[in-house]
Each structure stands twice: as structure tokens, then as C-alpha cells.
Amino acid sequence: QVQLVESGGGLVQAGDSLRLSCAASGRTFSTSGMGWFRRGPGNERRFVAVIRWTGGITYYADSVKGRFTISRDNAKNTVYLQMTGLKPEDTAVYYCAARTTIAIADIAQAASYDYWGQGTQVTVSS
């Protein structure tokens, strides 16, 4: 099992920056990457970004490309999501997730992730 704990959410104004953290523990060696999803009001859980351990390759949703950056600290078993230029439409509960499969065809699909954190709220006011 892998345990994921998010932190760093909060209330910010449009244009502000925020950094989310996701600390992983347990059988982290079994994972192939970690990512972030978000669920806005009345929406389904949507892909935001992911980082693969192999080569540190990253993928982003078009809606956040150029504004969000995902990174990792191997020594701390922690993945970060640096968010800049925040917009009201970024308001959501942000979830950290870890996957064990090495396949990339479905890397943006929530169903391909095996472990999930409890979520952290990000609210962006206009």
C-alpha cells in the first residue's frame, strides 16, 4: 500500500501562486509516477499533471500548461505542484494520485491510478 497526504491548499486571489505538496509513504518503490487531479464544483475528477519516475518526464493538461509545474523530491518522497497565474476556474479540490503501471496511453485517466490522497481545497477568488 501507498499512503498519500496532500497539503498546501488555501484561498488566494486571481493571479496569485500556490504550491501543493504530496508526501508519499509505504511501498513507494512499487509506483511508476505520481500526478494531480482536480474536481471542481459539479465536475468530474480531471487530470492536471503527472511526473513519471523514468526520466522525470512530465505531462500537463492543456488548461494548466505554462502555469503549473510538477516536480519531485526523491529524498522526501514528495511531489509538488507549483501553480502560478491562478484563475477562478482553477478552484477545485486537488487530489494527489500514484500509479504502478508503466503504460502511458492512459496516463491522464483517473482509473489508471492505484492510490489517492484525501484532497486539498484550492479556492481562487476574482
Side-chain angles (χ1 to χ4, degrees), residues 5-116:
V5 179
E6 304 101 331
S7 61
L11 171 63
V12 297
Q13 293 186 333
D16 284 352
S17 299
L18 201 61
R19 190 178 79 162
L20 305 182
S21 300
C22 177
S25 60
R27 298 172 60 88
T28 57
F29 58 85
S30 68
T31 62
S32 62
M34 286 173 59
W36 292 91
F37 286 74
R38 65 186 182 185
R39 175 178 285 162
N43 294 332
E44 62 185 15
R45 195 172 297 191
R46 294 179 176 173
F47 171 74
V48 176
V50 63
I51 184 166
R52 298 176 61 203
W53 302 153
T54 302
I57 298 172
T58 57
Y59 301 87
Y60 296 92
D62 288 342
S63 59
V64 306
K65 204 170 292 184
R67 298 189 299 123
F68 291 11
T69 302
I70 189 170
S71 62
R72 62 179 174 172
D73 184 329
N74 290 334
K76 296 182 179 180
N77 278 335
T78 299
V79 169
Y80 303 98
L81 185 67
Q82 179 67 48
M83 305 184 291
T84 63
L86 283 162
K87 306 174 182 179
E89 50 263 46
D90 294 318
T91 294
V93 177
Y94 283 72
Y95 297 91
C96 176
R99 66 201 311 258
T100 57
T101 178
I102 62 173
I104 62 172
D106 56 354
I107 202 166
Q109 304 301 315
S112 74
Y113 290 75
D114 304 283
Y115 304 101
W116 292 85

